[in-house]
Amino acid sequence: MSQKVDAYLFGQILGTLTTVLESLGMRVRMAINLKEEDIAGCKAAAIDPFFGEDSLKVAEICKKLNIPYVTIDCPHDSPLHKMAAVNVVSKECTGQHYKGMSAEEIMKLMQAETDGLTIITQGGGEMLYARKGQEIKRMKPFPVEVKSTLGAGDTFKAGCVYGLIMKMKDEELVRFASACSGIAISRFPLPLNPPKWYEVELLLQSSSEGTENLDYSDVIGRVVSGKIDRPLNTRHPRHPDMIYPINYGYVDGVIAGDGAEQDIYLFDCETPVETYTGKVIAVYHRTNDVEDKWIVVPEKSKYAANPSALSDEEILKRIEFQEKYFAGRLYR
């Protein structure tokens, strides 16, 4: 029986894609032999198209097992494009295969041949993305100071794989991949400094484009009480490798979307506790789940009177251990 992993990578034995996905908390399996049992059980795959029949064989196995895969720079009439969940097409590819054609014309060719998502990147220019029968959508890259573009494409691809694993909507997936790439080009050397989940989320927080405009004014500011059933430095009951770096519990008498008590992260409390009373200062909204997580501080905490003193970065860093396995956004 194959071990559970998140992503199967073909053509990326020791590359940026592997490094970035592992930095985001994903478990990866790198291709050595093209065996179906190595691919089975994965949530998504990444396939380099530059290995001819071997690449096609991996794509056919993925299709057979209903495992979505990301590929890059596959022309519209290629089998890899037709079967892909996501095909990321670079400026270099369009220049080589579609000279004289506009990005919109190329996209229409791509759309006609697949039910998957096609993303056309244009260096620092606007990205185009769409599926068959859809209106072509556009998205600007995140404005960052560019230090090196080395590894930007593989990092974008890694973001797409992560998006498939998290079952993100198309716009959310493109934004996440773009943010991953934005972090990557803002640093050097990338292999020693791959994007971390909280850094990507922080960059996503800098723009509200394409996000839900949710109102938590009835929650933020409330004083709540409850129990801490997973105290600081204890292990997750079902995933013993996960140790809680923060007190985690629930609100008495408030039922969340999953039918259980509303979960909370208790900040500014550096000792294990059993109960709490505190103020809600933020909400982490999971976009691929049925529940939110409330960010709470004790009533006497300095952050209760001045919530903005607890930065988004500090919050995201502290909850990364668990929230990197979900898609979401922080609301203040």
Side-chain angles (χ1 to χ4, degrees), residues 49-71:
F50 311 118
F51 294 85
E53 290 300 317
D54 285 346
S55 296
L56 183 57
K57 180 179 178 181
V58 176
E60 289 171 342
I61 293 172
C62 286
K63 182 179 180 182
K64 174 185 175 182
L65 298 177
N66 198 31
I67 294 172
Y69 70 82
V70 177
T71 191

Side-chain angles (χ1 to χ4, degrees), residues 102-212:
S102 69
E104 290 78 8
E105 291 171 327
I106 298 167
M107 178 60 83
K108 289 178 182 178
L109 288 177
M110 293 286 182
Q111 287 177 277
E113 298 295 335
T114 181
D115 291 325
L117 175 66
T118 299
I119 306 170
I120 297 179
T121 62
Q122 302 185 91
E126 202 172 43
M127 294 171 286
L128 279 65
Y129 64 100
R131 292 179 183 271
K132 181 183 290 184
Q134 289 184 345
E135 180 182 346
I136 298 173
K137 298 178 182 177
R138 291 168 170 79
M139 185 179 297
K140 294 179 180 178
F142 286 88
V144 297
E145 181 183 351
V146 179
K147 292 187 177 179
S148 172
T149 58
L150 189 65
D154 277 348
T155 305
F156 191 97
K157 183 178 174 183
C160 291
V161 174
Y162 182 93
L164 288 181
I165 293 169
M166 296 299 152
K167 302 186 184 303
M168 292 181 181
K169 298 175 182 178
D170 290 349
E171 187 167 11
E172 192 177 11
L173 181 149
V174 177
R175 287 188 79 246
F176 189 90
S178 179
C180 286
S181 186
I183 296 290
I185 64 177
S186 69
R187 57 186 53 173
F188 182 85
L190 177 60
L192 299 180
N193 300 281
K196 295 181 174 62
W197 176 88
Y198 81 86
E199 294 175 319
V200 178
E201 289 295 316
L202 199 60
L203 185 55
L204 289 169
Q205 289 285 135
S206 70
S207 170
S208 60
E209 181 182 353
T211 62
E212 296 179 271

Side-chain angles (χ1 to χ4, degrees), residues 32-59:
I32 300 175
N33 299 308
L34 303 184
K35 294 181 180 179
E36 185 172 312
E37 55 265 33
D38 288 339
I39 304 175
C42 294
K43 298 176 182 177
I47 304 174
D48 274 355
F50 311 118
F51 294 85
E53 290 300 317
D54 285 346
S55 296
L56 183 57
K57 180 179 178 181
V58 176

Side-chain angles (χ1 to χ4, degrees), residues 302-322:
K302 62 183 178 182
Y303 302 121
N306 185 17
S308 61
L310 184 61
S311 68
D312 289 356
E313 181 174 354
E314 290 176 276
I315 293 174
L316 292 169
K317 271 186 178 179
R318 205 70 182 272
I319 68 176
E320 177 180 27
F321 77 101
Q322 180 165 253

